[in-house]
Amino acid sequence: MINKAYLFLLFLVPLLNNSYGQSNLSESQVEELIELGSVLEGTYQIQMIDTRALPAVELSIYSIIQEQRSSKNVVYHYLNSNTRIMILSFQAIESPDFISLDRIAYISSKNIEHE
């Protein structure tokens, strides 16, 4: 019985945390951002730097991705010191040899070129 209660709490806490984190958005805004996220899927990557933690990001990153995408250059938007978003350019996305990106990548700061 205790194990079931523990498992329930383990699943409930992230759900509550996620709904609290999006509480400043209306239901229609959340729906719009979810739709935008599915359109943008594969054209950006959340990069975790020097950590193996799972990213906790808000839906508003989709607006950031859309606003900051460049026509020719890859853009890096830092959410914090350990999390950045790599946003591919329109040129890269429209290329015939475009390969969709994994949503999350774990990288070392030693491998980061200074943008």
Side-chain angles (χ1 to χ4, degrees):
M1 179 70 173
I2 293 176
N3 287 339
K4 288 182 182 180
Y6 180 71
L7 281 174
F8 177 74
L9 287 175
L10 193 66
F11 288 111
L12 181 64
V13 169
L15 290 174
L16 290 175
N17 189 26
N18 191 30
S19 64
Y20 177 76
Q22 308 301 326
S23 64
N24 59 337
L25 300 174
S26 70
E27 189 174 325
S28 64
Q29 289 173 313
V30 169
E31 289 176 20
E32 287 175 24
L33 288 172
I34 289 172
E35 283 182 35
L36 179 59
S38 57
V39 170
L40 297 174
E41 191 66 34
T43 68
Y44 70 93
Q45 185 174 70
I46 300 169
Q47 297 182 335
M48 303 302 292
I49 305 164
D50 294 335
T51 181
R52 299 302 277 168
L54 291 174
V57 293
E58 294 187 11
L59 291 174
S60 61
I61 67 161
Y62 299 133
S63 296
I64 293 168
I65 293 166
Q66 187 176 33
E67 292 167 4
Q68 293 195 3
R69 189 175 310 278
S70 168
S71 59
K72 294 186 179 186
N73 301 315
V74 173
V75 174
Y76 294 93
H77 177 82
Y78 282 81
L79 299 175
N80 59 49
S81 61
N82 293 96
T83 309
R84 73 179 184 178
I85 306 170
M86 179 176 70
I87 306 168
L88 295 181
S89 68
F90 286 113
Q91 185 178 26
I93 296 166
E94 294 166 359
S95 170
D97 58 344
F98 171 71
I99 297 174
S100 187
L101 296 173
D102 291 334
R103 180 180 288 192
I104 302 168
Y106 294 91
I107 61 175
S108 169
S109 59
K110 295 175 187 173
N111 298 332
I112 295 177
E113 296 179 23
H114 295 284
E115 299 90 42

